[in-house]
């Protein structure tokens, strides 16, 4: 299969540079690529793997050991000095979203264990990726426990397997690249921190550049071999430059003054821990090596900080990654060593031999310039000076839709304009809420809310498979087969198995749910302090849903109808943004809100039948549409419901309590959400009215 050439990718200079820095020095720690769909994220990652220098491996070693420095603990070792070697391209291993833990880290070779009676280890994808590239597309959709295993191996350079009576350790050093679309949900901040660099990619809005993207793609699809041949010269130059930079890395000097500068920048941006300092230092060294320098300069520090710090500045899960580049420049200026001359390597266009940054002299005939002249192409020949500072900056840090705007209870929200048609209350800081869970056992996607039995979780027993055995319980299978060996005539090693001997593991874990918020935005809820409290409570529940890996949706009702400002999605940030802009006022069409919720749940049940819903109704119970609420309650039969009673004041009508009784739902006062305690099981709605 012919990959699209790395040098032919249009634009995306920051992404190219981040990938190249990791190719030069795997100590940088990998790249997380965040961006909208259709921005060539997967294309450029696959293209980079083809440019990595080939590796020598011990012949027959399943763990790609280096013949010159074999892993002393290799399961296929020990390897003798002078062992036969083979040269092969650097591996590109793709981890699918639906992969199992066995496939990732490896496990007992069940076939050999059952047929030959030996304990053998079957390597996983981490072993296959050693000394190559491990690519995880849609890493934000990967199950949390797999992400933990993956990032631990990437940080330690070693994979430890302790399972199924197997105890194995093997080297696992690879370039980790993850891509994700933030619209489909975010990674937890502690997992974001494990990626060395992060890059935001967006499609260009320049018509000429977009046209060039289409032009090159059409040319590649029409004649892949011919297109690759036209770019072969630049690809060969890129491969040589990566190899040369790798050889230069051990000899690059990081002056103590630059190290203090890195520490000062990381401290000023208030990043947690010291991983940011280490990543920035390694990235600065790699950047200096990439540009042929033997000493790290301020330009190297600036570039490294710009790629290493944005995703580490998130103080809240609803904050967007970003970095204030003006502040970064000011910090670098203030921490510039007094005994060194000012570093002017960061100014002015550079890149190709003609100084335009695009390497135009090596561009194949018939192609057009893709990048603006002030954005140097990192794949071009080594520049005389470092890249300019004037390129597009990542999204600046600061308040945005969905972020918590401080701790003031009545801080006004500014997201709604005149068209909102109502008052907009502010949002205070979120707090920890009780665990709301769906009763019984589910079989949905892995998460952290309700109890589930499925492919993930701890083993609690074994059973006869109801279909093909997908998760064989080895001890139970052996026990089932052992009493019948003499009768079956076994005379040699191994066991004689029958299909009826197979047992599969019963696992109990946690699942993620669909949490559908139905929020009363009518005039009776519009008292400024009450709506602020309601929004803060819902925001806190959203934060809880984010941490428990749920999907969320939002239904609001006021005036004469209900609407769905947020259809069910994994992007909790979008829910926070819609919540902040929610206006209040008008009548209370409670029945319309419940009917709309039933409609949303019915459609979502067709899309994702295994994910169980949890309905959270936030209201004071007042209704202006007569018996519509009673009729709509019948549509929610079998749905787990929680009613959050927002009624306040010395005189209370108890309408929300009556509504909870009609829905057969759990009733929680609004104040109870700020008092976390034991888990609160939601009741299932019942059609019978009380």
């Amino acid at each position: 299969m012919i990959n699209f050439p790395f040098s032919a990718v249009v634009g995306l200079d920051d992404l190219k540079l981040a990938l190249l820095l990791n190719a030069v020095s795997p100590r940088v720690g990998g790249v997380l690529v965040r961006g909208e769909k259709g921005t060539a994220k997967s294309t450029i990652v696959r293209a980079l793997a083809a440019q990595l220098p080939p590796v020598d491996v011990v012949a027959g070693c399943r763990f790609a050991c280096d013949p010159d420095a074999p892993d002393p603990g290799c399961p296929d070792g020990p390897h003798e000095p002078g062992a036969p070697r083979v040269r092969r391209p650097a591996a590109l291993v793709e981890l699918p979203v639906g992969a199992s833990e066995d496939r990732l880290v490896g496990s007992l070779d069940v076939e050999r264990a059952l047929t030959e009676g030996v304990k053998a280890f079957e390597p996983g994808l981490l072993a296959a990726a050693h000394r190559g590239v491990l690519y995880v597309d849609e890493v934000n959709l990967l199950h949390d426990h797999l992400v933990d295993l993956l990032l631990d191996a990437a940080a330690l350079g070693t994979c430890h397997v302790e399972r199924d009576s197997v105890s194995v350790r093997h080297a696992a050093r690879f370039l980790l690249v993850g891509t994700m679309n933030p619209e489909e949900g975010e990674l937890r901040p502690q997992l974001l921190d494990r990626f060395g660099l992060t890059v935001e990619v967006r499609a260009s809005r320049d018509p000429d550049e977009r046209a060039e993207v289409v032009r090159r793609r059409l040319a590649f699809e029409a004649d892949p071999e011919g297109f690759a041949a036209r770019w072969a010269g630049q690809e060969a130059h890129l491969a040589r430059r990566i190899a040369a930079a790798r050889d230069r890395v051990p000899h690059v000097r990081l002056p103590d003054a630059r190290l203090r500068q890195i520490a000062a920048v990381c401290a000023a941006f208030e990043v947690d821990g010291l991983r940011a300092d280490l990543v920035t230092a390694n990235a600065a060294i790699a950047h200096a090596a990439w540009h042929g320098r033997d000493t790290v300069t301020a330009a190297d520090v600036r570039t490294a900080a710009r790629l290493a710090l944005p995703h580490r500045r998130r103080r809240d899960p609803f904050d967007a990654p970003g970095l204030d580049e003006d502040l970064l420049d000011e910090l670098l200026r203030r921490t510039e060593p007094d005994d060194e001359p000012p570093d002017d390597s960061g100014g002015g266009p550079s890149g190709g031999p003609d100084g335009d940054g695009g390497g135009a002299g090596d561009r194949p005939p018939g192609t057009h310039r893709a990048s603006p002249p002030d954005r140097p192409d990192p794949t071009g020949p080594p520049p005389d000076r470092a890249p300019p500072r004037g390129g597009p900056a990542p999204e600046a840090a600061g308040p945005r839709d969905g972020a918590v705007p401080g701790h003031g209870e009545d801080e006004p929200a500014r997201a709604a304009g005149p068209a909102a048609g109502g008052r907009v209350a502010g949002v205070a800081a979120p707090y920890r809420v009780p665990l709301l869970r769906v009763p019984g056992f589910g079989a949905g996607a892995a998460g952290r809310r309700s109890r589930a039995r499925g492919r993930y979780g701890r083993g609690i027993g074994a059973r006869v498979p109801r279909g093909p055995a997908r998760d064989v319980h080895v001890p139970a299978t052996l026990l089932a087969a052992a009493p019948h060996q003499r009768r079956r005539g076994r005379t040699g090693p191994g066991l004689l198995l029958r299909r009826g001997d197979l047992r599969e593991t019963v696992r109990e874990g946690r699942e993620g749910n669909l949490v559908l918020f139905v929020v009363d935005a009518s005039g009776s809820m519009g008292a400024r302090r009450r709506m602020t409290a309601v929004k803060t409570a819902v925001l806190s529940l959203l934060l809880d849903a984010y941490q428990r890996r749920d999907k969320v949706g939002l239904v609001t009702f006021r005036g004469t109808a209900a609407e769905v400002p947020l259809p069910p999605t994994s992007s909790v940030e979008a829910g926070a943004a819609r919540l902040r802009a929610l206006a209040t006022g008008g009548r209370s069409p409670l029945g319309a809100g419940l009917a709309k919720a039933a409609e949303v749940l019915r459609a979502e049940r067709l899309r994702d039948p295994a994910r169980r819903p949890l309905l959270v109704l936030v209201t004071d119970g007042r209704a202006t549409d007569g018996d519509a609420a009673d009729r709509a309650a019948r549509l929610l039969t079998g749905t787990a419901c929680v009613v959050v009673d927002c009624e306040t004041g010395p005189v209370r009508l108890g309408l929300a309590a009556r509504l909870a009784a009609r829905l057969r739902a759990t009733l929680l006062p609004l104040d109870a959400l700020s008092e976390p305690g034991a888990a609160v099981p939601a009741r299932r709605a019942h059609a019978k009215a009380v």
Side-chain angles (χ1 to χ4, degrees):
M1 178 180 176
I2 299 176
N3 290 316
F4 193 89
F6 187 88
S7 305
V9 175
V10 178
L12 303 180
D13 293 337
D14 283 344
L15 176 53
K16 289 181 183 177
L17 181 59
L19 291 171
L20 290 171
L21 293 182
N22 276 272
V24 169
S25 175
R27 291 184 178 181
V28 172
V31 184
L32 176 65
V33 188
R34 298 164 45 91
E36 56 196 18
K37 51 188 176 293
T39 48
K41 299 187 295 291
S42 302
T43 297
I44 196 170
V45 173
R46 295 188 178 98
L48 174 70
Q51 301 309 309
L52 297 180
V55 295
D56 290 329
V57 300
V58 175
C61 178
R62 298 172 297 167
F63 301 88
C65 277
D66 186 349
D68 298 325
D71 179 12
C74 176
D76 284 353
H79 302 297
E80 299 295 333
R85 64 176 64 197
V86 295
R87 174 164 289 191
R88 62 168 175 78
L92 171 63
V93 176
E94 299 191 33
L95 175 62
V97 170
S100 65
E101 183 177 338
D102 290 348
R103 188 71 185 99
L104 178 63
V105 301
S107 65
L108 178 71
D109 189 329
V110 176
E111 181 178 351
R112 293 188 62 190
L114 297 181
T115 59
E116 301 177 23
V118 299
K119 185 170 67 175
F121 177 67
E122 183 178 4
L125 295 177
L126 292 180
H130 180 46
R131 304 175 66 197
V133 179
L134 181 61
Y135 172 48
V136 188
D137 194 14
E138 306 295 352
V139 66
N140 53 325
L141 303 183
L142 200 65
H143 293 299
D144 282 353
H145 72 288
L146 295 183
V147 176
D148 292 335
L149 291 170
L150 175 65
L151 295 180
D152 282 343
L156 299 175
T158 304
C159 176
H160 293 270
V161 184
E162 301 285 347
R163 55 178 304 158
D164 298 331
S165 73
V166 172
S167 179
V168 171
R169 185 211 64 82
H170 65 81
R173 292 183 295 274
F174 45 81
L175 166 56
L176 174 63
V177 182
T179 60
M180 59 174 285
N181 182 353
E183 294 178 357
E184 297 173 340
E186 279 284 1
L187 279 175
R188 304 196 312 270
Q190 57 268 43
L191 298 184
L192 276 175
D193 183 60
R194 302 301 289 271
F195 282 93
L197 309 179
T198 186
V199 178
E200 294 273 351
V201 295
R202 297 179 180 85
S204 172
R205 299 299 183 257
D206 180 5
D208 292 336
E209 187 167 329
R210 295 173 72 98
E212 182 64 15
V213 171
V214 176
R215 186 180 296 113
R216 293 187 186 183
R217 189 67 199 184
L218 292 177
F220 174 75
E221 292 175 352
D223 183 10
E225 293 184 0
F227 186 85
R230 290 197 295 275
W231 289 88
Q234 286 199 5
E235 293 290 273
H237 167 77
L238 178 63
R240 290 192 300 269
R241 189 176 172 191
I242 292 175
R246 279 187 171 185
D247 294 338
R248 190 179 296 113
V249 164
H251 308 291
V252 174
R253 187 174 67 92
L254 176 62
D256 192 63
R258 295 299 173 201
L259 181 55
R260 289 197 302 270
Q261 194 174 43
I262 291 172
V265 168
C266 293
F269 278 112
E270 299 181 345
V271 297
D272 294 330
L274 293 174
R275 184 175 285 117
D277 305 61
L278 292 170
V279 170
T280 305
N282 283 317
I285 291 172
H287 189 262
W290 174 248
H291 287 290
R293 291 189 286 270
D294 295 327
T295 303
V296 172
T297 67
D300 300 320
V301 173
R302 182 187 191 278
T303 299
R306 193 166 58 83
L307 297 173
L309 299 185
H311 61 300
R312 293 184 167 88
R313 296 196 64 247
R314 297 183 69 186
R315 315 309 300 178
D316 185 274
F318 300 138
D319 291 341
L323 194 71
D324 186 341
E325 292 202 37
D326 291 335
L327 176 58
L328 174 61
D329 290 335
E330 175 63 20
L331 290 170
L332 291 174
R333 185 188 63 78
R334 290 190 341 227
T335 57
E336 184 68 24
D338 296 333
D339 57 347
E340 293 188 14
D343 179 17
D344 61 353
S345 61
S350 61
D354 54 358
D356 66 358
D362 292 335
R363 196 160 42 247
T367 63
H368 300 265
R369 179 179 305 282
S371 301
D374 62 342
R375 293 293 289 171
D377 184 352
T379 65
D384 295 331
R385 292 179 291 180
R389 300 183 180 181
E395 183 179 350
R400 70 177 183 96
D401 285 347
V404 181
H407 293 221
E409 180 179 343
D410 290 324
E411 180 175 350
R414 301 173 183 173
R423 298 178 57 187
V424 179
V427 184
Y431 45 76
R432 186 183 173 194
V433 297
L435 169 60
L436 307 179
R437 67 185 184 194
V438 180
F441 289 91
R448 298 184 174 184
R449 183 173 297 279
S450 304
R451 301 172 70 184
R453 288 180 179 168
R455 294 173 55 193
Y456 304 101
R458 61 184 180 89
I460 59 172
R463 67 184 178 191
V464 176
R466 299 169 183 170
R470 302 184 183 279
D471 186 5
V472 176
H473 193 291
V474 176
T477 300
L478 297 179
L479 289 173
H484 309 291
Q485 296 306 297
R486 179 177 296 180
R487 181 169 54 82
R488 292 174 182 174
R490 193 191 80 176
T491 58
L495 293 176
L496 295 178
L497 295 176
R498 300 289 184 268
R499 180 177 179 82
D501 299 330
L502 291 178
R503 299 293 184 270
E504 66 179 7
T505 306
V506 177
R507 298 188 180 276
E508 181 175 317
R510 296 281 178 176
E511 67 175 356
N513 299 106
L514 166 61
V515 183
L516 182 63
F517 296 97
V518 183
V519 180
D520 185 349
S522 63
S524 63
M525 299 283 290
R528 187 180 184 82
R529 288 187 176 274
R530 181 192 291 189
M531 200 59 197
T532 294
V534 168
K535 283 190 174 184
T536 303
V538 177
L539 184 69
S540 302
L541 291 166
L542 276 172
L543 178 59
D544 182 68
Y546 167 87
Q547 294 169 338
R548 301 188 186 281
R549 315 305 289 169
D550 296 316
K551 292 180 71 174
V552 297
L554 178 63
V555 174
T556 63
F557 58 92
R558 70 185 184 102
T560 59
E563 60 179 1
V564 186
L566 182 71
T569 177
S570 296
S571 179
V572 181
E573 295 81 358
R578 303 298 192 278
L579 180 67
R580 288 187 63 215
L582 179 64
T584 60
R587 297 163 65 83
S588 305
L590 177 59
L594 295 177
K596 181 63 72 174
E599 179 183 330
V600 171
L601 293 178
R602 184 168 56 251
E604 191 63 20
R605 193 173 292 117
L606 297 176
R607 297 190 188 97
D608 192 356
R611 188 180 293 268
R612 296 188 295 166
L614 171 62
L615 180 70
V616 179
L617 175 60
V618 184
T619 182
D620 58 6
R622 300 187 183 186
T624 57
D625 50 1
D627 298 331
D630 288 337
R631 294 192 298 271
R634 299 185 181 95
L635 302 176
L636 295 171
T637 301
T639 302
C641 295
V642 173
V643 175
V644 178
D645 184 2
C646 300
E647 193 172 27
T648 58
V651 179
R652 305 191 181 190
L653 303 178
L655 298 177
R658 298 177 193 174
L659 175 62
R662 287 198 296 269
L663 291 171
R664 290 293 179 91
T666 299
L667 179 68
L668 280 179
L670 183 61
D671 295 341
L673 291 180
S674 60
E675 300 174 358
V680 179
R683 297 181 182 177
R684 297 188 181 277
H686 196 280
K688 182 179 178 181
V690 177

